Amino acid sequence: MDSIQNDIKNDIKNDIKKDIQKKTHEKIILAMGIGLIIMVGLINIGNQYFLTAIDDEFAYWGNAAQLAGYDVTVLLRTSSFYSYGYSFLLVPFFLLGFSAVAMYRALIILNIFLMVLSFLFCVWTAKKIFGNDKMDSRLLVFLCLVISLYPYHIYQMQVAWTESLLCFLFWAITALIYRITSAEKPAFFDLFLVSLLSVYIYAVHNRAIGITMAVFMLLLFLYYNSFAQGKLKHRFLLSLFFIVVLFFIASLFRQYTIENWYQGAENTILRLNDYSGQTKKLTGLLTVEGLRNFFLSLSGKIFYQLAATFLLALFPVFAIISIIWKQKPLKRWGANDWLLFFCTSAYLSQILITAIYKTGHLRNLRIADVLYGRYPEFALGPILLFAFSLILCGKIRQIKKMAAASVIVFLGCAVLVAYQLSNVGILYLNPLSGVRYFFHNQDSMLLATANMVLVSLAGFTLFVTLIMISRLGLNKKWLDKIDNPAFFTKIALKRIKLIAFFFIGFYWLGYGHNVAADYVVNYKGYDYDCVKSINEALENLDGESMSESMGDSMGDSLTEIFYIKNPADNAFRHLKMLKSLEPGRTIHLISLEEAADIEPSGKYVLMSDANLDLVREITKQADLLHLSNGLAIYLP
């Protein structure tokens, strides 16, 4: 009897010891994951100086500068309108007096912080979706790290724009949705917060409106669902009301910024991100040609998502279609079902928005127009998490059907993509963080597409095969030929899942790092050196009248810059970069004819990247003080 009790005690002690060991390992993996994300984000920071993705980054920077009290309108009016939600995060850096380089690097660090938070949200959500009884928590943390190392996330951490914030916001909304749908009595604060974040994500980027619509649709379903009764039903109704009111307020502020900061901008520029421009594309879908172009555009976006994710992106979509097809009553939907419904509807909405935005005639296309994943990819994390859960825990028969359907869709889209890429006129690659190197320096678009198809199918086959082997076990007849089959079985079945995720994680990490390094190191350095030399020359100009005009209450130079417009530089790229170095400088955009009428004065600096001989002829009294990479400084 005593021996039995001792055995029981020993078993309990061993179980406790294993649980402690398991939790310790989980914390170690979590810490290592956070450290890896930080390291990957910081690895190129020494080559990070300031904005170079001019259309996007300058618009966010310019909106923030306006909010901080600087006048940037003369250059904002040469740009498309980009939303203001991200700009709120930049304002404190202006108020604290950060230099341009320090601000940019601080924003990279902010991106890293947001991606670490996204990783932690991913871990929390994974534990809720899988449950502790279905999966080893250590493997869960590791697969969440793999999701966080997706190439898009690594690339976007290196750029001071909205993507890392959008990714974090979507994970936060996803976690809130799970809390709401899993609780018997959803908290009012959770409902209000999910309403607020669903509108704020739209304010961060207008094309994230698909997320806002998905949240609204989900809350509408929950309102009509039978479990939402009495006061709870009113809570859902109130959250819907919050979304409408907050969206109206966000739209009003959006209109205010356009009318006051972008007043005078060309309509063709503003319409790139305005509702009117997208409305025209929607009406174009009513024509045969418009509908054809839309489906071609959609095929490219789906192909990109499948190729970049090893064909995993559509697994959750097929899963929710199966639930709806089987007509599972809403009363029986659990938190996982509701979360799956929300994530897939949000993801598909973003793909549709991208397809509509990139719909156009098949002439003079860019690779980035055909294959574009930027707008759906910030919502991809939970999709990958559900895809992993389906492969690890789903029924084998269901997985086979999903795999077959994914391959069929992928190959069908590949044919349409090859047709579109045969008409590509511009080899523009920057946003293609998931498939960039397939098309890098490729003469044949058809060969590049074929290589991408083969690599994606091979990776998909290898990953799914490894997972299936771990789930089904090894063939007994084959094991009989091994000297120690028990040992081999134990090692193989416990570690093979880890090998499968190591394969994907290692590939995504290497791929994403190479794309980011190529963009940061090879693309950004030239612009910075050019503009930095001009800014240093301005700061070193001699003369009593010049020195009297330097400096203001914000600590920036008040040297007035008259910039001669150059048709070849309609984006005013270098001028915007110069403005970002010292936002207090006063800038005037003038024509060559207007330059001839400027009165000689020691207070003004005249800049131009137009034809230098022509400038000298028209402004005969101007002295050339500095010349750098096409930018010139004159003193009238």
Side-chain angles (χ1 to χ4, degrees), residues 282-562:
L282 285 172
T283 56
L285 299 182
L286 301 177
T287 65
V288 174
E289 183 182 7
L291 196 60
R292 166 182 169 273
N293 288 338
F294 168 72
F295 279 113
L296 285 172
S297 177
L298 183 62
S299 68
K301 311 311 173 284
I302 294 175
F303 176 81
Y304 174 90
Q305 295 297 312
L306 288 171
T309 63
F310 289 116
L311 277 70
L312 298 174
L314 290 186
F315 271 53
V317 178
F318 293 137
I320 195 65
I321 290 174
S322 176
I323 292 173
I324 296 172
W325 182 262
K326 293 178 181 178
Q327 297 182 346
K328 183 178 179 180
L330 292 181
K331 295 179 181 180
R332 295 173 54 193
W333 279 33
N336 281 6
D337 297 323
W338 285 113
L339 192 64
L340 177 63
F341 171 74
F342 165 72
C343 291
T344 52
S345 60
Y347 179 63
L348 291 176
S349 296
Q350 291 302 124
I351 290 178
L352 287 174
I353 288 170
T354 307
I356 293 170
Y357 175 64
K358 291 295 181 179
T359 296
H361 298 290
L362 299 178
R363 289 178 294 181
N364 204 33
L365 281 172
R366 306 180 305 173
I367 295 177
D369 291 327
V370 179
L371 304 172
Y372 198 80
R374 181 181 167 191
Y375 304 140
E377 278 185 305
F378 71 81
L380 183 60
I383 293 295
L384 290 174
L385 185 58
F386 271 111
F388 290 153
S389 72
L390 288 166
I391 292 175
L392 290 170
C393 304
K395 295 180 180 179
I396 302 298
R397 184 178 180 183
Q398 184 184 28
I399 294 172
K400 290 180 180 178
K401 291 181 179 179
M402 290 179 180
S406 295
V407 171
I408 292 171
V409 172
F410 182 57
L411 294 177
C413 289
V415 174
L416 297 177
V417 165
Y419 167 68
Q420 293 179 78
L421 291 181
S422 66
N423 295 280
V424 162
I426 304 174
L427 303 179
Y428 183 72
L429 295 164
N430 280 343
L432 306 180
S433 57
V435 297
R436 176 185 174 91
Y437 281 98
F438 289 102
F439 297 94
H440 197 60
N441 297 325
Q442 288 288 340
D443 296 328
S444 171
M445 292 292 101
L446 182 61
L447 181 60
T449 306
N451 288 337
M452 184 167 60
V453 169
L454 291 175
V455 170
S456 300
L457 286 176
F460 171 71
T461 303
L462 177 61
F463 176 74
V464 174
T465 300
L466 289 174
I467 297 297
M468 290 300 101
I469 289 174
S470 70
R471 291 192 59 182
L472 296 174
L474 299 174
N475 187 284
K476 291 184 178 180
K477 293 181 180 179
W478 186 64
L479 286 176
D480 291 338
K481 301 177 182 180
I482 300 176
D483 293 335
N484 192 352
F487 172 79
F488 187 81
T489 304
K490 180 180 179 181
I491 296 297
L493 296 183
K494 284 191 175 182
R495 306 305 180 199
I496 201 166
K497 291 179 183 177
L498 197 60
I499 294 172
F501 283 106
F502 254 118
F503 157 69
I504 287 187
F506 182 78
Y507 180 87
W508 281 349
L509 175 61
Y511 199 101
H513 170 67
N514 287 337
V515 172
D518 180 66
Y519 176 75
V520 170
V521 177
N522 297 333
Y523 181 63
K524 290 193 171 186
Y526 171 82
D527 286 321
Y528 178 71
D529 292 339
C530 170
V531 177
K532 182 182 178 183
S533 65
I534 288 289
N535 192 61
E536 289 175 348
L538 287 172
E539 292 175 347
N540 295 328
L541 286 174
D542 295 325
E544 182 178 351
S545 58
M546 179 65 67
S547 63
E548 290 175 354
S549 69
M550 302 290 284
D552 66 353
S553 59
M554 297 184 194
D556 294 306
S557 171
L558 284 180
T559 304
E560 292 191 69
I561 298 174
F562 287 84

Side-chain angles (χ1 to χ4, degrees), residues 99-336:
S99 67
V101 175
M103 180 185 292
Y104 200 91
R105 291 177 176 175
L107 292 175
I108 299 302
I109 293 173
L110 176 63
N111 284 349
I112 296 169
F113 175 70
L114 291 172
M115 285 311 304
V116 169
L117 291 180
S118 299
F119 171 52
L120 296 177
F121 270 121
C122 182
V123 172
W124 184 90
T125 308
K127 289 182 177 181
K128 297 298 182 182
I129 290 176
F130 284 91
N132 293 329
D133 57 329
K134 292 183 179 180
M135 188 64 58
D136 189 324
S137 61
R138 293 168 293 185
L139 181 61
L140 283 184
V141 174
F142 183 74
L143 70 86
C144 289
L145 176 60
V146 170
I147 292 171
S148 300
L149 295 177
Y150 180 71
Y152 165 88
H153 299 140
I154 296 174
Y155 169 77
Q156 300 298 351
M157 278 195 292
Q158 317 282 325
V159 187
W161 56 13
T162 59
E163 310 311 300
S164 295
L165 176 59
L166 291 172
C167 181
F168 162 72
L169 289 172
F170 189 72
W171 272 115
I173 291 171
T174 300
L176 284 169
I177 294 296
Y178 187 90
R179 281 173 57 90
I180 290 168
T181 54
S182 62
E184 292 184 11
K185 296 181 179 180
F188 175 78
F189 178 77
D190 288 346
L191 288 167
F192 173 75
L193 189 57
V194 79
S195 301
L196 178 64
L197 293 183
S198 68
V199 176
Y200 179 63
I201 200 172
Y202 160 78
V204 170
H205 202 299
N206 289 164
R207 292 195 188 95
I209 193 172
I211 310 301
T212 311
M213 293 189 298
V215 173
F216 188 89
M217 183 169 61
L218 176 74
L219 292 175
L220 195 61
F221 272 107
L222 293 175
Y223 170 72
Y224 282 108
N225 194 25
S226 60
F227 81 82
Q229 299 175 354
K231 293 182 180 180
L232 294 182
K233 197 167 187 176
H234 293 309
R235 287 186 183 182
F236 285 114
L237 186 61
L238 192 58
S239 64
L240 291 168
F241 174 74
F242 281 145
I243 291 179
V244 173
V245 171
L246 293 171
F247 188 86
F248 178 72
I249 295 172
S251 299
L252 285 180
F253 191 77
R254 177 183 184 277
Q255 192 61 34
Y256 170 84
T257 57
I258 292 176
E259 292 178 354
N260 290 274
W261 301 347
Y262 293 79
Q263 188 178 18
E266 296 181 13
N267 288 332
T268 54
I269 296 177
L270 279 179
R271 286 177 62 187
L272 290 174
N273 292 313
D274 195 16
Y275 293 133
S276 60
Q278 308 315 311
T279 302
K280 186 176 180 180
K281 292 179 181 178
L282 285 172
T283 56
L285 299 182
L286 301 177
T287 65
V288 174
E289 183 182 7
L291 196 60
R292 166 182 169 273
N293 288 338
F294 168 72
F295 279 113
L296 285 172
S297 177
L298 183 62
S299 68
K301 311 311 173 284
I302 294 175
F303 176 81
Y304 174 90
Q305 295 297 312
L306 288 171
T309 63
F310 289 116
L311 277 70
L312 298 174
L314 290 186
F315 271 53
V317 178
F318 293 137
I320 195 65
I321 290 174
S322 176
I323 292 173
I324 296 172
W325 182 262
K326 293 178 181 178
Q327 297 182 346
K328 183 178 179 180
L330 292 181
K331 295 179 181 180
R332 295 173 54 193
W333 279 33
N336 281 6

